[in-house]
Structure formats: structure tokens, C-alpha cells
Amino acid sequence: MAVPADEVGNVLHLITSKLPYLPGALRQIGEYLLAHPQQAQSMTISQLASACGVAESTVSRFVRELGMDSYHSLRLSLAEATFATRSAGAGREEEFVYEGILRGDEPPAIVGKIERSSRQALAQTAKQVSGDAISRAVDLLHDADSVVFCCMGSSSIAAEEGVMRFTRAGKKCLLYRDQSVQVMLATILTPRDVLIGISASGKSSAIVEAMRLARQTGATSIGITSAQDSPVAELSDVPLFTSNVTGEGLYGESVTSKWGQLLLIDILYATYAARHFDDTLRHLKETYEAGIRHSRSPGNPSPKG
């Protein structure tokens, strides 16, 4: 049986009110449902448990905590809540504009939704990071003469972070925004180069083509994607997987879907730096001093800027 009729359309409000008082595992479920109510209403109990990183019995306990007698009741209540929201916005095609943000959401609710979605993306990515894969990727980076980043759209956020970090660690890095140039560059790589392809879907045509061409030249590749059965994963010598919480609206990708990519870049850099501590420290000092000298040269803005 579902929750009382006067609470049916507000099951998300019910979860929100209980969230601060729930223990860790149950809170994870609540946070996931609040961030992804539409996806969750079509999930089986095992799928939801997997997405939240908990046991099925924990999901059942969460259902009882809400005063429901079955998981099916929870799914119905979620469906009714999202349907009520869509009905209230009849005449508009979009169901949400960003991260599950609904018409009429106030700043406190928006802050909570974005924060929960971001934490969920980071937590899920961290849980599925393979230490062995990270180690193999760092081996490739250490042996590489150059590290080439391929990306498009907001995945360039992680790529630019990677360029900055590994350049300061002493690695020669290349990143071109133009996808055509990325593909052309892939044709002249050598077995001493590493290509890092970043694509949430794992299907971005330019990244897939660049990785395919890089493989033909003998270059190795590291793929960062959320899709384990994607072309990017298949073409990677070392695939690294982010959370599958996409957080996408109708009109483009969100930044929270990129937290996993940034986390993996940070993990790669930190592992590389720890393994080659003295060399990295020396390069950090050299690049820092070069940056300071440049900022103090005539015609450049003050380093305080």
C-alpha cells in the first residue's frame, strides 16, 4: 500500500523530511531517489540497490522507513509524484531544465538537489575505481613522450585539468578544442604516446575515431567514460569508469555529471605524483617559478589578479 493520499504527490518531500535522520546506507538511497526520481521509478529493486551501492534488504528497510509495505508501492508513489509535477506544468514540453530542477523549486531545494547529485556522482565513481587499472594507466603515462587529450563539450573541463596537472608534473601534454584537429593529431602519434579519450557516453564520434586511429599508430590509450560497453571503453588499453549518473537535462550536459571525470583525473595525477615523488616535486617548483617570472614580466597582469 502506498503512503496516504495527501502525501502521494509529495513522496519526495517525505523523503526530504526524513533524510537528515536516516543512517548512512538508507540516506544514500534517499539521496539517489531525490536526485533521480524519474529514473528510479522504472528500476527494479536490484537495480536501485546496485545504483546506490547497498543490499536489496537495505532498500526494503528504506521502504518500511517511509511507511510503505512494498517496493512496488514506492515505485508507484514516485510515478505519481513525477506525474503530478508534469501535470502542474502542462503545456510545457520540458519536465525539468537541469538536474531534476522542477518548476517553482526554491533556492534551498535547488541547492540540495545539486549537492546530492554531485555527491552521488563522486561516491559512485570512487566505489568502482579499480586500483589495478589506475596503476596500469600510470605506467602508460610514465612511459609516454607525450599525453594527448581528446574530448568535446563539457568533458573538456576534466581534460584541461589533466593538462594543467600533468604539465606541472613534467609531462608534455597536448589538447586541441577542435575535434577535427584531435582526429588529425591521432594519425601522427607514435607507440611512445598516450591518448586520453574522455566521453561520458563513450560514443562521441570524434573521440572514438581519434582512439581508433591512435590504435593503428601503435599509441596506447586511456578511456574515461561512464559506459562499460561503449566504443571508447572497447578501444582503451586501460578503461576507467565514472558514475553512470548522467545528470543531463533536455538541452545539454550538466557539470555534476563531470565530477567523476575530474575525480579520475585527480586520482591519476595523485598516483603518478606519489610514485614519482621527487621528480614531480622538482617539476612543480620549476613550473611554478616559470609562471611567476612570466606574470612579473612587462605587459603581463599582476600575479595578484
Side-chain angles (χ1 to χ4, degrees):
M1 181 173 68
V3 293
D6 60 342
E7 295 182 0
V8 164
N10 293 313
V11 67
L12 299 180
H13 295 168
L14 177 63
I15 294 172
T16 299
S17 68
K18 288 181 173 291
L19 201 63
Y21 311 102
L22 295 175
L26 297 186
R27 187 179 302 171
Q28 286 179 227
I29 300 170
E31 289 173 344
Y32 184 89
L33 293 176
L34 290 171
H36 312 284
Q38 293 177 321
Q39 297 95 316
Q41 67 182 271
S42 61
M43 287 181 169
T44 65
I45 190 170
S46 60
Q47 289 172 332
L48 179 61
S50 176
C52 297
V54 301
E56 290 184 26
S57 59
T58 306
V59 176
S60 297
R61 182 183 167 196
F62 177 84
V63 169
R64 293 193 299 272
E65 192 73 27
L66 294 183
M68 302 180 186
D69 58 11
S70 70
Y71 180 69
H72 180 65
S73 295
L74 173 61
R75 290 177 58 183
L76 284 177
S77 294
L78 287 170
E80 289 168 347
T82 53
F83 177 78
T85 300
R86 289 196 298 270
S87 297
R92 305 290 184 105
E93 290 186 2
E94 67 273 16
E95 295 176 350
F96 56 86
V97 292
Y98 186 88
E99 294 298 339
I101 303 304
L102 306 173
R103 190 186 316 280
D105 275 354
E106 296 295 330
I110 291 172
V111 170
K113 288 182 178 181
I114 299 297
E115 187 267 344
R116 284 189 293 270
S117 182
S118 297
R119 275 198 291 122
Q120 191 74 30
L122 284 169
Q124 287 192 17
T125 298
K127 285 179 180 177
Q128 59 192 34
V129 170
S130 163
D132 177 66
I134 293 295
S135 183
R136 289 187 288 118
V138 168
D139 287 341
L140 296 181
L141 291 168
H142 175 257
D143 295 336
D145 288 338
S146 63
V147 181
V148 177
F149 289 82
C150 286
C151 58
M152 63 185 297
S154 55
S155 292
S156 62
I157 298 171
E160 289 178 346
E161 181 74 4
V163 169
M164 185 274 291
R165 290 198 177 278
F166 283 103
T167 296
R168 294 208 60 200
K171 301 302 297 185
K172 178 181 178 181
C173 297
L174 295 171
L175 168 61
Y176 291 93
R177 286 280 194 160
D178 189 303
Q179 276 78 55
S180 296
V181 177
Q182 291 180 21
V183 172
M184 287 188 286
L185 181 60
T187 67
I188 60 172
L189 298 182
T190 75
R192 293 283 300 174
D193 297 321
V194 171
L195 182 148
I196 298 181
I198 308 176
S199 169
S201 69
K203 299 177 182 178
S204 302
S205 59
I207 287 82
V208 171
E209 180 65 5
M211 295 182 74
R212 185 185 66 80
L213 292 170
R215 173 169 286 188
Q216 291 179 359
T217 70
T220 53
S221 62
I222 299 167
I224 296 179
T225 180
S226 65
Q228 298 191 17
D229 58 350
S230 66
V232 164
E234 293 171 1
L235 288 166
S236 301
D237 292 283
V238 181
L240 300 173
F241 299 107
T242 65
S243 161
N244 60 6
V245 176
T246 60
E248 297 179 6
L250 295 178
Y251 303 108
E253 301 176 358
S254 72
V255 173
T256 57
S257 67
K258 304 307 173 187
W259 289 134
Q261 296 175 356
L262 286 166
L263 178 63
L264 286 176
I265 290 293
D266 263 3
I267 290 172
L268 283 173
Y269 167 76
T271 305
Y272 179 92
R275 187 182 295 182
H276 309 288
F277 196 94
D278 292 333
D279 284 342
T280 299
L281 187 60
R282 174 172 56 85
H283 287 301
L284 286 173
K285 291 178 180 178
E286 291 173 349
T287 54
Y288 174 77
E289 290 170 358
I292 291 296
R293 288 195 300 270
H294 173 72
S295 66
R296 290 175 176 170
S297 63
N300 286 315
S302 167
K304 294 181 180 179

